[in-house]
Amino acid sequence: MLLLLGLCLALPLCAGSLEEAGTWGDTSEQVGLRVPRQVRLLQRLKTKPLMTEFSVKSTIISRYAFTTVSCRMLNRASKDQEVTFQMQIPAAAFITNFTMLIGNQVYQGEITERDEKPGGQVKEKRNKTAEDNGEKGTEMFRASVVLPSKDKAAFFLSYEELLQRRLGKYEHVVSVRPQQLVGRLTVEVNVLERSGIAELEVLRLQNSRRKGSGSGEDDSGPPPSTVIHHNETFAHVVFKPSVVQQAKIAQNGILGDFIVRYDVSREQSIGDIQVLNGYFVHYFAPRDLPPLPKNVVFVLDSSASMVGAKLRQTKDALFTILHDLRPQDHFNIIGFSNRIKVWKDHLVSVTPNNVRDGKVYIHHMSPSGGTDINGALQTGIALLHDSVAPHDLEDRSVSLIVFLTDGKPTVGETHTPKILNNTREAARGRVCIFTVGIGDDVDFRLLEKLSLENCGFTRHVHEDEDAGAQLIGFYDEIRTPLLSDIRVDYPPDAVEQVTRTLFPNYFNGSEIIVAGKLADRAKDRLHVEVTASNSKKFVVLKKDVPVEPRWGGSGGPGGPGPQGGGQEDPNPLERLWSYLTLKELQSSWLQSDQEQERDRLRRKAQALAVAGRFLTPFTSMKLRPAPQAHTPEATYGLAGMSAAMGPEMVMQSLQGTHLQPGPALKKPYDPRIKISKTSADGDPHFVVDFPRSRLTVCFNIDGQPGDILRLVSDHADSGVTVNGELIGAPAPPHGHKKQRTYFHAITILVNKPQRSYLEITPSRVIVDGGDRQVLPCNQSTVVGSRGLEVSVSANANVTVTVQGTVAFVILFHLYKKPAPYQRNHLGFYIANGQGLSGNCHGLLGQFLNQEARLTEEAAGLSKNPTNPPVPEAGGRSKAILMVKGHQVPVVWKQRKIYNGEEQVDCWFAGNNAANLIDGEYKDYLAAHPFDSETTFGPGAPRGL
């Protein structure tokens, strides 16, 4: 099979990647001119590669987002043809993995070091790629492969990013542009914030600026089919449009950006410090401070290229911005082309007359001439220096330049390194430069470096109908400085490898983030000191912050263990520290002019990126065929799911859930749950696992329709009770039974820390903990609070977690066209019984703290009684089971569990489990669904 791979990305993938062959969309055969046009169109549509699935899953833990994109495609043509997978990713994100499945062959991405020489070239290519192929603030990833006729391909892309707080909100953006209508399209976003989630919202789809994008009928609020559930610290958002809903938004499959926006609750003035397994992150975002006065010079490009909509919309935006200046601010305006035109020879105060005159000056600007970027910057910086010092403007004010241009330097100094050096020497760290690039012809790399080297940031504003609004949004980010000269200090002997701790300014609605390692994990407190200036005084904040981890670490006691292949769950705070450190190394490398220093920074960044599997300008990704010993799904589970599944496992640990993820995590499209053998499912068939004895025992209970069975009874101790109600159905023909029974409802009573009732049926889940919630079983959602969490996986299962130490999984068994003897029913599985007491009882609960063994005298047993016996000729192996002091005759059987899709070898106890269970079948009948009988035995008192 011929593999042609072209990976166009903002960052390099492989130094010698092949060119893409041909186009990726239309690969139909040429037909004669006599064939009618409609037939040719039909033939082309028939042979176009079909995307059968497009799904994106993001897990955000403390502002750090892990995202995995899955795409499956089918070549329906009668010949080999090229298929292409492409995805827009945020410009600030790092790719961590790419895996392809072509037929039965797996190609895994491997992060390796990149030679120094290509490093500088890649940066140029990155900007070109972002402008030509991507959208605002994004970069394009593209992979093409020649796929054999009738064969399938799957692509899996993982990337990570730290969400930036802007205007008081974090924004997570997922590009949904599969380029065609997709049968199964899903976007799932999970947010876990220990501090608490505030103001969660899902925006309407933000349409592409490219031709062909559309909008839905409802242009406000979340997109159609979006389901949102959240509690104090956890949010679950699912966007799952049908093909019809997709077509209403955009026939060509370019739906737009799916955006989840939220903020976190904030209490401490010193900020929020989070610790996990030796790493810490400090979030600092004070509020309710008086704003600092600002001295701002607006430097506006008025060259000939700004003619038309660019200059008109920029003027309109500046009119609005001038009105927004505060009375204590000072400002000036510079227009530049091949000449530098200054409005006033000094900064002026904000008065109605000055604002009016400034608007008039801007209004009369007309486009002409070239672009003298160097001269305009030098003039603006000099204005600030000359005006601030002699006139004794506020000592604690902030000096800013807002620089707007649409082009490249064409007049005066045009050499980029010289412009950067001149600006840096003139500003001397006392003036922050914020740059805005307008349109597609701007030298964005120059603007980026100007801001990086002068304590500012840059934004790219596209030339379209909302350019003015984009400019106002940019200014809103810097309109309210609250602090200047911020310094964050920790005791030197307490921390190490800490990221940046000095910050020139803090603007309202943003956030300062510092990450590092704890030098001594044994210490239970960390001294933090923040010093800064605000408008009235010098601010000093001090506090000893507890550092005992309030999160369970991955691999810790009761937490998730290593993944397949020996990989451990990723620590989100460690990943965040690595991300921040790499960004700072990359920024320092861009700013440095000394070759020796650049080489040191490059080598340091390379080592960290390779160790953490980050694709950066200093690393490359090469695709290698995986060993054939692995199946495609298993190989992907080992190599491709670290970013997708790891955070999910960490989330379970953070919430106190001690579920051990099973093979289902390696096959993310298989809804089966393979967590526990201890269960009651089917007719019903009961299975009890004794892991320490390496024994599995099973039995049947022939109940009657309407019976309510006590499955778990621990009301007096842990406060948990589980009952199951039976329904009946005719027996299959030619069977020995007269009727079958199934679980139609599982009811769970939780009495601690507060009383909650759950009723689960094949169609709905009712959660009543004071506020009654009815959750449909055909939609995925997560709800819960105060130690109780209910997670519904659509048409698959419900997971109920109590206090992080008890977990039950209820499977849905649904039939599209049921036979007369089939009923939609439930299966009940005990995933984690750690929090149940030694007094726990019930048909399943009584075995959770017991041991079992086979007697060595049993006929037909080998010397090792736990090994499966060899059946006697024409017969069945028999044995005696010792459990709870009882001797129970058992026979060796093979039973089907998990909806009949998994086989379990077990020792079967017949006769309605006589001698195996305490008492008799009738002793386990509950009076009503929420019966919480606490004492076992006939005539025992009942009650809630």
Side-chain angles (χ1 to χ4, degrees), residues 329-332 343-344 346-351 354-355 387:
D329 296 339
H330 292 77
F331 74 104
N332 204 338
W343 174 46
K344 301 284 186 181
H346 61 278
L347 268 65
V348 300
S349 58
V350 176
T351 65
N354 284 339
V355 170
S387 298

Side-chain angles (χ1 to χ4, degrees), residues 750-890:
V750 178
N751 202 41
K752 298 176 182 179
Q754 64 175 6
R755 186 177 292 264
S756 299
Y757 302 88
L758 286 84
E759 181 182 34
I760 301 159
T761 69
S763 61
R764 67 182 185 179
V765 178
I766 300 176
V767 183
D768 191 346
D771 296 327
R772 180 183 170 91
Q773 301 180 72
V774 180
L775 314 175
C777 292
N778 60 357
Q779 297 179 7
S780 296
T781 185
V782 178
V783 299
S785 63
R786 301 184 185 178
L788 174 68
E789 181 184 282
V790 180
S791 174
V792 181
S793 180
N795 295 326
N797 60 76
V798 176
T799 302
V800 179
T801 306
V802 183
Q803 295 295 312
T805 58
V806 178
F808 304 125
V809 176
I810 296 92
L811 297 191
F812 301 135
H813 300 310
L814 308 174
Y815 301 94
K816 290 185 178 179
K817 297 180 179 180
Y821 55 87
Q822 293 175 325
R823 296 283 188 273
N824 289 345
H825 64 282
L826 305 172
F828 174 76
Y829 296 78
I830 300 178
N832 180 14
Q834 179 182 342
L836 298 172
S837 74
N839 298 320
C840 182
H841 213 274
L843 283 169
L844 290 175
Q846 63 186 293
F847 299 106
L848 293 180
N849 298 290
Q850 300 294 330
E851 291 299 322
R853 64 182 178 87
L854 296 175
T855 60
E856 295 185 8
E857 300 82 20
L861 287 181
S862 64
K863 292 294 183 182
N864 183 354
T866 61
N867 286 340
V870 179
E872 300 171 359
R876 308 165 82 181
S877 296
K878 300 178 181 180
I880 301 297
L881 180 75
M882 298 294 297
V883 58
K884 297 193 292 183
H886 303 157
Q887 292 189 353
V888 186
V890 292

